[in-house]
Amino acid sequence: MSEPQATAVSATTTVRSRAFPAWGRMLAISIGPLFAALALGGIILLAMGVNPFSYYAYVVERAILSPSGLSATLTRMGPFLLIAASLIVAFRAGIWNLGGDGQFLLAAVIVAAATPLMFAAGMPIWINLAIGLVIGAVIGALWGVLPALLKAWHGINEIITTLMMSFLGVSLANVLVKLAFLDPGTTTPQTRTLPVEARLPKLFDTTVSSGLIVGLVVIVAVHLMMTRTSFGMRLRLVGANPRAAVHAGLSVPKLTIAVFAISAGLAGLSGAVDILGTQGNVRADWNPAYSLTVVPLVFLARLNGFGSIAYVFLFSALTIGGESAARRLGVPSFFSLVIVALLLITLALAEYLDKRRHYRTKS
C-alpha cells in the first residue's frame, strides 16, 4: 500500500471512530439487544393476538408503578443479584460456571431443612439467619469443588462438568425434599416451612425483603474486588492469558479453585436468601433456573456490577409484571423466558456485528 493510500485509510478509520465513539459502541451493544428483544417479543405478541403496547404498559404498571408490585420486584432482585455476582466472578476469570442452578437449589433445600430446626431449638433469630446464610454459601461452594478440581488439575472443560453437576444437584435436591427432609404434616411434598417471624426482616416497614441489601452489598463488593484489588487482577489475568499468569508466578490451579469456590458459594448464598427472605420452604420438583436466566443479563452489562444491577431490576420487573399480564391478557406465564431467549439471540448477533465492524475498521 502506497503512502497516500495508507494516509487515506488512516483518515477513514479516524472519521469512523469519531462518528461512532467508544461510548456509543458500548451503549449500542449493551442496550441495543434489549430493545431488539422487546421488539421481537412485541411481534410474537401480535401474532398471538395481543397488543404489545398494552402488555408492556401493564408490566410497567404492575411491577414498577404499583407499590405492591415494586416491593415484589425489589424483593425478587436479591437472589438475582447474588447469581449475577456469582457469574461475574467466574466469567471475568475466564471460567464458565454453568452449574449455578444445582448449587442454588441444593443450598436452598438444606437451608430450608436446617433453619426451622434451629429456630425451634430456641436460637436467636439473627444467629439463626446468619448460620442459614453461611450454610447456603458453604453448600454451594462444596458442590463446586469437583468441577474445580477437574478443571484445575486435569484441564477438563468446566462447561460439561458444571452442567452435569447442576443436573445432579437438582436431582439430589428433589430426592432430599421427597425423602429425608419431607414435612410429614403436608400432603404436598415439601420441606418444613420457616415461620414468617424467623425470616429475613423487611426494610423500613415495607414488604421488601432485606435480601435486597445482601444482594446489593455483595455485587458491589464483587465489582470492586474484580476491578480494584490485586486479587481481582490476578483472577482476570488467569482468565485472559493462563500462560502469562504462569510466567508471572501465579498458581493457576489454586486461583481456579478459588474462583469456583467464590462463584459457587455466591450461588448457594442466593438460594439461602431466597428461602430465608421469600419462599420459606422448598417444594418437590421446584427449580426456578435463575442461574441460566441471569447469564444474558450480566453479558448485556459487560460483566459490570453496577450495570448488572440495572438489568436485574428490569428483568425482575418483567417477571413480576409478566405474571400479572399473563393472567389479565391471556399470555403464557413463561413469556418472560421467551424474552430472555430473544435476548440471547440478539446479544449474540450484536457481538457478531460489533466484531465484524471492528475487523473492517482495522482493515
Side-chain angles (χ1 to χ4, degrees):
M1 181 183 293
S2 64
E3 184 175 349
Q5 288 176 323
T7 303
V9 170
S10 177
T12 303
T13 302
T14 302
V15 170
R16 285 179 179 174
S17 299
R18 289 177 179 174
F20 200 72
W23 65 265
R25 167 186 165 274
M26 189 63 66
L27 196 65
I29 60 180
S30 296
I31 298 181
L34 175 63
F35 284 104
L38 293 176
L40 291 173
I43 294 174
I44 295 175
L45 288 170
L46 282 175
M48 297 168 57
V50 177
N51 186 332
F53 295 104
S54 299
Y55 177 83
Y56 291 132
Y58 194 73
V59 168
V60 172
E61 177 189 347
R62 297 298 299 170
I64 299 177
L65 301 182
S66 165
S68 60
L70 180 60
S71 296
T73 297
L74 294 175
T75 296
R76 186 161 291 188
M77 284 180 65
F80 285 166
L81 288 172
L82 290 167
I83 290 292
S86 165
L87 294 172
I88 288 172
V89 170
F91 292 162
R92 275 187 171 267
I95 291 174
W96 288 81
N97 176 21
L98 300 182
D101 290 334
Q103 297 151 10
F104 170 96
L105 193 57
L106 195 58
V109 168
I110 294 178
V111 169
T115 311
L117 296 178
M118 291 187 293
F119 177 75
M123 294 183 63
I125 293 178
W126 67 272
I127 295 180
N128 197 27
L129 293 173
I131 294 176
L133 295 176
V134 171
I135 289 175
V138 170
I139 293 300
L142 290 176
W143 202 247
V145 166
L146 183 57
L149 294 176
L150 292 175
K151 171 70 174 180
W153 301 110
H154 299 284
I156 297 177
N157 191 308
E158 73 276 13
I159 296 177
I160 299 173
T161 56
T162 54
L163 286 174
M164 290 177 63
M165 290 297 290
S166 182
F167 174 77
L168 291 174
V170 171
S171 301
L172 177 58
N174 285 321
V175 170
L176 292 175
V177 171
K178 295 176 181 179
L179 297 178
F181 300 150
L182 177 67
D183 182 2
T186 60
T187 55
T188 303
Q190 66 179 41
T191 62
R192 288 181 173 84
T193 301
L194 183 66
V196 175
E197 62 271 16
R199 301 182 190 180
L200 290 173
K202 306 299 181 183
L203 296 177
F204 311 113
D205 296 325
T206 67
T207 59
V208 180
S209 170
S210 54
L212 172 66
I213 301 299
V214 176
L216 288 172
V217 169
V218 169
I219 197 168
V220 170
V222 163
H223 177 82
L224 295 177
M225 179 191 75
M226 298 301 294
T227 58
R228 304 292 178 85
T229 67
S230 59
F231 178 67
M233 183 188 70
R234 290 197 295 270
L235 296 184
R236 286 186 284 116
L237 178 59
V238 169
N241 195 329
R243 291 185 178 180
V246 171
H247 287 300
L250 301 180
S251 175
V252 174
K254 289 182 180 179
L255 290 174
T256 299
I257 294 174
V259 169
F260 269 103
I262 296 172
S263 179
L266 291 176
L269 179 61
S270 175
V273 165
D274 201 23
I275 294 304
L276 298 177
T278 307
Q279 306 294 337
N281 61 38
V282 177
R283 303 177 305 278
D285 301 319
W286 176 68
N287 180 18
Y290 288 158
S291 183
L292 294 180
T293 304
V294 175
V295 168
L297 304 182
V298 297
F299 275 113
L300 281 171
R302 321 310 297 175
L303 306 182
N304 181 284
F306 296 104
S308 296
I309 293 173
Y311 277 108
V312 163
F313 173 76
L314 291 175
F315 179 71
S316 300
L318 179 62
T319 56
I320 293 296
E323 293 171 0
S324 299
R327 293 190 294 267
R328 176 155 183 174
L329 302 177
V331 177
S333 57
F334 54 80
F335 187 75
S336 58
L337 295 180
V338 175
I339 300 295
V340 173
L342 293 173
L343 266 175
L344 283 170
I345 296 171
T346 54
L347 177 61
L349 183 60
E351 289 287 343
Y352 167 74
L353 293 176
D354 179 63
K355 287 185 178 180
R356 186 176 178 183
R357 171 192 164 276
H358 179 69
Y359 291 143
R360 283 184 174 179
T361 303
K362 275 190 170 183
S363 60

